[in-house]
Amino acid sequence: EALRRRAAASPAVGRIRLVGSQAREWLPLFYQAADLFLFASETETQGLGLAEAHAWGLHAGAGRASGVEEVVMDGETGILTKPDAQDLADAAIGLLLDPARRVAMGAAGRGVAERQFSADEQVRTMVARYAELIERR
């Protein structure tokens, strides 16, 4: 409710949509419609949402946290900030004002997603880890 009040008071009120949780099959539409992807969580830091955003060609703004830094390369595929709402907002505004940088970071993020986070790559990594553990045994 607090977010709804803030959105209603914003000069951008007509462009703000708080949609809540969405079914997984709808997520691609949201990624495709987005100008940028912000990740503010300090607790869910496995980076799955960040990797998905990269796969859709979106750069990311996120607070530095364990796991986040494994997905977002600061200045290349997105911007990492202190885990502070104002710093993240400032980074978002800077990116919104620089479309060429957003596009370049989005393309770089897509490349990272394809190289490191594809299902095939994840399976290869898991098989290699299991093989390593079996060999040690």
Side-chain angles (χ1 to χ4, degrees):
E1 191 55 39
L3 285 176
R4 291 188 195 290
R5 285 194 301 273
R6 287 186 81 175
S10 169
V13 64
R15 298 189 64 195
I16 298 171
R17 303 283 185 269
L18 300 174
V19 297
S21 295
Q22 296 294 310
R24 186 138 190 86
E25 62 267 15
W26 289 97
L27 293 181
L29 297 174
F30 286 91
Y31 284 121
Q32 290 171 346
D35 292 316
L36 59 93
F37 185 84
L38 298 178
F39 188 80
S41 179
E42 293 179 39
T43 56
E44 194 287 301
T45 59
Q46 290 181 335
L48 179 58
L50 293 165
E52 287 177 349
H54 281 347
W56 284 99
L58 289 171
H59 67 286
R64 289 185 189 277
S66 175
V68 169
E69 294 174 300
E70 294 174 21
V71 180
V72 178
M73 290 179 270
D74 193 25
E76 186 178 334
T77 66
I79 294 179
L80 295 174
T81 69
K82 292 185 286 186
D84 173 80
Q86 187 62 54
D87 283 350
L88 189 57
D90 290 344
I93 291 167
L95 289 168
L96 287 171
L97 295 174
D98 192 347
R101 188 173 185 208
R102 281 198 326 266
V103 169
M105 286 182 167
R110 172 127 182 140
V112 166
E114 289 172 349
R115 285 187 310 275
Q116 296 179 6
F117 300 107
S118 70
D120 288 343
E121 183 57 31
Q122 294 300 306
V123 169
R124 275 192 289 280
T125 299
M126 186 182 302
V127 168
R129 296 284 185 242
Y130 279 122
E132 180 183 316
L133 291 171
I134 291 168
E135 187 176 305
R136 286 186 191 173
R137 186 174 161 223

